[in-house]
Amino acid sequence: MSFDYDLVVIGAGSGGVRAARMAATYGAKVAIVEEFRVGGTCVIRGCVPKKLYVYASRFKDQFEIAESFGWQVDASFDWPTLVAAKEKEISRLEHAYVSNLEKPGAEVIRDRAVVTGPNSVRLINGDRELSAKIILVATGAHPFIPDIPGKELAITSNEAFDLPSLPRSILIEGGGYISVEFATIFAGLGVHVTLVYRGTCILREFDMDMRVGLEAGLTERGVRIIYQTRIEQLAKTGDDITATFSDGVSAPFGAIMFATGRRPNTKGLGLEEAGVKLNDNGAVEVDRYSKSSVPSIYAVGDVTGRIQLTPVAIREGQYFAETVFNDNPQAVDLSLIPTAVFSEPEIGVIGLTEIEAATHGDIDVYLARFRPMQNTLSDRTERMIIKLITEKDGGKVLGVHIQGPSAAEMIQMVAIAVGMGANKADLDRTIALHPSAAEELVTFKAPTYVYRNGEKA
């Protein structure tokens, strides 16, 4: 049976673009369909603009310590300038993504696609049908807003990058990556930030020292954190939006933002009608090779609900192309993934938390808290935290948790050693680079405390 294409990819985000480009490189006839902008969440309204805005927000801290180094600073901030600069950069990246797709011969189609069968896709705007030997769903996910009265008055991370002006105050609901990163951004740009979270401490799945340290850092920067509470209603009151909380209290804010998780973009794609099995959250269920319940339909990235991180989606897209179009079956190892939270202070982690590691057997915990060198000439009291978790008696490294300046850069490097199965002796053999914060990782002499038979000692 002949098809129009060997591969039709629905969604031109990080995973879809990598899969399409690699498949075309291997000689497949490829079309990639995107209804919005090429680059997906990460490039257009996620990782890239987020990191740029985090950089912008950090200048406030730099200005505050500048005088201790002899500088006199008189600075002001202009929101429209930042928004325009961001837009210029993501437009450049979008152009680069398109170019990288077209070079190996992939066809970029600007349209909305719906799956109409195991080997067919309909273009809604173009009103035509495409046939494909293989279909790859890479449509990502979207921010979730609770179904409460007045929910249309709120924004999400999608809209936050392009607000016409900075609000005087903002209320953010959520306790994960997105909420604390935007709390950092807005607070650094001079907005009064309140963060409300239904739990008892932010960053639920992280190591407790990272959670408590970030809570202190955000509070020091003026972020007000309210726990065990949620927003139940929103109403417009003049120029403000009034939020009513689950405890009955109401308060006005310049803007309301929900960072309460993301849901897979599968609604209206025709997947279930084509026989593709979805889980209870609407994510495409796939095997380790990203194949769905329909043998000709695959899925990668956030739409699968596995791990919502851009590098994971890219690797899944790459391995899909290797498996299906290069006769080289590859499955992504999701067991050891470094990750970073671009909050202030910044967090970088890999491996098990202390509590998780203690359930695996006897462990040693090495913990250092110290002022970052850049703060030692000022009156800033914020501490950097470096935590190393190993099997007992200098065994295998099980987890590394870093909080403070350049934590993400450090964790990427140490992740190589952890991924290779390094033990404490491997770190000890490494000569320290002085003066640096990272040298603490290779200069720990004795455990700060240990766990034996599940008990902390």
Side-chain angles (χ1 to χ4, degrees):
M1 182 177 179
S2 63
F3 299 97
D4 298 328
Y5 297 93
D6 297 311
L7 171 66
V8 169
V9 180
I10 305 176
S14 298
V17 166
R18 177 58 62 90
R21 184 167 65 83
M22 296 297 294
T25 300
Y26 293 138
K29 184 179 181 182
V30 178
I32 182 166
V33 187
E34 174 57 55
E35 64 176 309
F36 182 53
R37 298 177 69 177
V38 174
T41 295
C42 180
V43 171
I44 306 302
R45 49 195 179 193
C47 323
V48 172
K50 180 268 304 283
K51 187 74 179 290
L52 294 173
Y53 281 30
V54 167
Y55 281 140
S57 71
R58 286 177 176 169
F59 281 101
K60 181 174 181 287
D61 282 347
Q62 295 300 310
F63 294 151
E64 287 178 355
I65 66 173
E67 287 189 10
S68 64
F69 288 91
W71 287 90
Q72 298 297 316
V73 179
D74 182 15
S76 61
F77 174 71
D78 183 65
W79 172 256
T81 297
L82 175 61
V83 174
K86 175 271 300 181
E87 181 59 32
K88 182 179 179 181
E89 173 60 10
I90 66 173
S91 294
R92 182 191 70 81
L93 289 172
E94 181 181 15
H95 177 77
Y97 268 53
V98 172
S99 177
N100 287 337
L101 283 166
E102 292 177 340
K103 281 179 182 177
E107 179 184 354
V108 179
I109 301 174
R110 307 279 185 160
D111 208 325
R112 175 173 175 78
V114 174
V115 176
T116 53
N119 301 99
S120 59
V121 170
R122 171 161 290 279
L123 302 180
I124 300 301
N125 297 327
D127 192 24
R128 64 188 177 105
E129 198 97 358
L130 307 179
S131 63
K133 182 179 179 180
I134 299 293
I135 296 170
L136 177 66
V137 180
T139 48
H142 63 275
F144 170 75
I145 296 181
D147 188 16
I148 61 171
K151 64 180 182 180
E152 69 280 356
L153 298 172
I155 64 170
T156 68
S157 56
N158 283 358
E159 298 81 30
F161 295 111
D162 297 293
L163 294 174
S165 61
L166 276 178
R168 62 169 181 81
S169 64
I170 189 167
L171 170 67
I172 303 174
E173 178 168 336
Y177 286 75
I178 296 174
S179 63
V180 298
E181 288 175 339
F182 274 96
T184 290
I185 289 169
F186 284 116
L189 299 181
V191 179
H192 295 289
V193 178
T194 300
L195 193 154
V196 59
Y197 178 47
R198 64 182 181 178
T200 56
C201 190
I202 53 179
L203 294 183
R204 178 169 53 89
E205 295 181 357
F206 282 71
D207 186 88
M208 185 55 73
D209 280 307
M210 300 294 103
R211 301 171 71 186
V212 173
L214 178 57
E215 178 186 67
L218 290 175
T219 301
E220 184 177 331
R221 284 165 177 79
V223 176
R224 183 188 181 198
I225 304 177
I226 304 172
Y227 288 123
Q228 296 181 292
T229 309
R230 64 183 184 275
I231 302 171
E232 290 199 337
Q233 182 174 322
L234 300 177
K236 187 71 174 175
T237 51
D239 293 332
D240 290 327
I241 302 170
T242 296
T244 300
F245 299 98
S246 52
D247 58 6
V249 174
S250 296
F253 298 89
I256 310 288
M257 177 177 172
F258 281 103
T260 45
R262 297 172 65 82
R263 299 292 186 270
N265 287 324
T266 53
K267 187 176 181 180
L269 277 180
L271 294 173
E272 289 180 291
E273 293 82 353
V276 176
K277 187 176 180 180
L278 308 181
N279 67 17
D280 292 341
N281 290 324
V284 180
E285 292 192 359
V286 294
D287 65 12
R288 60 197 301 261
Y289 296 105
S290 297
K291 182 188 293 185
S292 78
S293 57
V294 177
S296 58
I297 300 178
Y298 290 69
V300 298
D302 292 0
V303 76
T304 67
R306 287 183 283 192
I307 295 180
Q308 296 184 346
L309 292 172
T310 296
V312 173
I314 291 173
R315 185 65 59 88
E316 289 173 355
Q318 176 183 338
Y319 281 10
F320 156 80
E322 285 285 341
T323 300
V324 179
F325 293 101
N326 198 37
D327 194 25
N328 179 29
Q330 298 283 329
V332 181
D333 181 3
L334 301 176
S335 65
L336 198 61
I337 299 172
T339 188
V341 183
F342 293 102
S343 52
E344 193 58 47
E346 186 171 292
I347 294 174
V349 304
I350 186 170
L352 302 178
T353 67
E354 178 181 319
I355 299 302
E356 290 169 339
T359 67
H360 286 60
D362 293 345
I363 62 169
D364 296 342
V365 179
Y366 303 80
L367 183 63
R369 288 187 175 91
F370 55 93
R371 291 176 71 192
M373 191 172 183
Q374 69 176 12
N375 291 343
T376 56
L377 300 185
S378 71
D379 58 2
R380 291 184 65 90
T381 59
E382 184 176 278
R383 290 289 191 259
M384 189 158 189
I385 304 172
I386 294 184
K387 188 175 197 176
L388 175 67
I389 304 168
T390 73
E391 293 177 343
K392 70 173 183 178
D393 301 329
K396 182 179 178 181
V397 176
L398 301 176
V400 181
H401 306 266
I402 303 175
Q403 182 172 114
S406 300
E409 306 295 337
M410 284 185 256
I411 212 68
Q412 178 66 87
M413 294 296 99
V414 78
I416 300 171
V418 176
M420 294 174 69
N423 57 33
K424 180 65 166 58
D426 294 319
L427 299 187
D428 292 342
R429 281 195 300 272
T430 305
I431 295 176
L433 191 158
H434 182 76
S436 69
E439 69 181 299
E440 293 289 336
L441 286 167
V442 300
T443 57
F444 283 119
K445 299 304 180 187
T448 308
Y449 50 90
V450 302
Y451 282 79
R452 297 293 182 263
N453 299 316
E455 297 294 328
K456 184 176 179 180

